[in-house]
Amino acid sequence: MRKTTLLILSLSLGLLGYSQSLPLDFEVPEDDNFGGFNGTAASVVTDPTDGTNQVLEMIGAGVDFDGAAINLDTFVDLSDDNNNTISMEIWAPDATTRTHLLKLEGGSSGAVELFFDTTVAGWQTVSVDFGAGLGNEYPVLVIFTDSGSGNTATGTYYIDDIDGPNGGAVAVDPEPSTAAPIPNAPDGEVYSIYNDTNNYTTNFPVAYAFGTSQGELDLDPTAGVNNALKMNFTVAGWGQGEGGPDDLTAYDFVSFNYWASSGTPGFRFVLIDNDGGVEEFNYEVGTNEAVVNEAWTTVEIPMTYFTGLGFSQANLFQWKVDPFMQSVAQGGIVFFDNIIFTANSLSTSEFESTKFEVFPNPTTSTWNLKSNSSITSVEVHDILGKRVMTLQPNRSEVTINASELNDGIYLANITTANGTKTVKLVKN
């Protein structure tokens, strides 16, 4: 449909949206879901050379690895050595040789990527041959413009008709039915890593991302935007870094909300410092505390935990989340929201006006839960994180029947208008 063909030799991140399968011609709404990262702007626009055609516009940000990604609902299959070429039409602003990168990731066999060049002003067709011995399950397609270490060129590019071999359908991942609760910690007491609902003033100065993210999902589309980060820990972990390091000595706690799919054994939350050397310090949900599955759960960690491990609080360099015991074989889909450092405990800032009373505890038959605030939901989980009971009382007094539960420790996630809190229940 366009002009010249450029064949690329074999060589062997991001925030993304959802689409269908290849080919992507940007004529249907589902194709308008490329998510830009590291400063790249990506959107579907009218082709500047053909008013009847729609194309993807990518405006580079001038950093080493900036681009856009899309999450497909059909795997790209590169397992046939005779049919593993991805083609696209790309418009470049001039005939200068410009280097780009095409990457397929999220597959069980790992990611694969190829650099390619544009050398023509205007439209040209690029065919990227990924070579032999590759996998058949790549759900994420990523395009980096002006890419590569030290490549900080900028430009506006148009892309059309991305095509290649399709495989099987991507299984629909589990996801939360509601958004995470919104923290109400005061702006002057917060250093925000990830939060899109409070507009906090002090934020982690992201310079780059690493690993593999499944992107962001808006979990509150009818009432406004409340995004959460999605991770597939059967693939990899993900994190961000800065040029810093940054000083966190004014903050005494770090907290986040997570929602873990059924069967997820846990995950690691990692702070990384650079005080003359780069070191990692982790808190593992599933080891340091029991994992809770299929419910938004708040984790709050005193900074003394990390400094006790040797973390230099004045030299935050990176943060990341990765699989339980650092093993993708452990797997699990986990959503994260409201990753923040706070000067004071959230239990103080969010629940200072909410009082709870549980009695008797331990119990042999029932727990009575009273609050001075209306309780909208109670989710009870066993110590392994399995949900055993859900109540939606919408009143301030709740009776929890424990008679059919085995003896042991349980965790109850109690949600009120002020947020969610976890309390320990004992059955004997």
Side-chain angles (χ1 to χ4, degrees), residues 172-385:
V172 177
D173 290 331
E175 62 185 48
S177 59
T178 60
I182 298 174
N184 63 358
D187 182 31
E189 297 182 0
V190 173
Y191 177 107
S192 176
I193 295 286
Y194 181 82
N195 174 276
D196 67 345
T197 55
N198 294 78
N199 297 315
Y200 287 124
T201 302
T202 305
N203 296 278
F204 182 73
V206 178
Y208 54 88
F210 52 91
T212 301
S213 164
Q214 301 298 304
E216 290 182 298
L217 186 65
D218 181 7
L219 296 172
D220 196 14
T222 60
V225 176
N226 191 343
N227 288 324
L229 284 170
K230 178 184 177 184
M231 305 295 159
N232 183 348
F233 287 134
T234 64
V235 176
W238 185 79
Q240 295 174 319
E242 58 157 296
D246 223 358
D247 187 348
L248 297 179
T249 53
Y251 306 96
D252 292 332
F253 298 87
V254 60
S255 64
F256 56 86
N257 298 116
Y258 77 87
W259 186 98
S261 62
S262 177
T264 301
F267 56 87
R268 299 196 325 155
F269 177 79
V270 185
L271 297 181
I272 305 169
D273 69 13
N274 185 355
D275 57 347
V278 177
E279 292 186 87
E280 298 186 355
F281 305 89
N282 77 84
Y283 183 90
E284 189 164 66
V285 172
T287 300
N288 293 95
E289 66 178 72
V291 67
V292 177
N293 297 99
E294 297 186 306
W296 279 112
T297 302
T298 300
V299 174
E300 184 174 69
I301 310 164
M303 289 304 296
T304 52
Y305 168 84
F306 287 101
T307 57
L309 297 177
F311 174 69
S312 174
Q313 196 166 346
N315 293 282
L316 174 67
F317 179 55
Q318 298 172 331
W319 74 276
K320 70 176 182 179
V321 288
D322 58 19
F324 185 65
M325 301 179 68
Q326 292 185 288
S327 170
V328 294
Q330 300 288 339
I333 302 294
V334 183
F335 290 80
F336 294 91
D337 202 356
N338 306 320
I339 307 172
I340 56 177
F341 294 88
T342 57
N344 294 297
S345 171
L346 286 180
S347 61
T348 299
S349 61
E350 289 194 11
F351 288 93
E352 58 188 359
S353 62
T354 303
K355 307 297 182 183
F356 293 99
E357 182 181 3
V358 180
F359 61 92
N361 193 22
T363 189
T364 58
S365 57
T366 60
W367 293 289
N368 297 306
L369 174 61
K370 286 187 177 182
S371 173
N372 64 342
S373 181
S374 179
I375 300 169
T376 56
S377 72
V378 178
E379 291 188 345
V380 181
H381 302 259
D382 65 20
I383 197 64
L384 298 177

Side-chain angles (χ1 to χ4, degrees), residues 359-361 363 366-369 398-400 402 405 410 425-427:
F359 61 92
N361 193 22
T363 189
T366 60
W367 293 289
N368 297 306
L369 174 61
V398 183
T399 298
I400 304 174
L405 298 178
Y410 295 84
L425 305 175
V426 180
K427 165 73 184 300

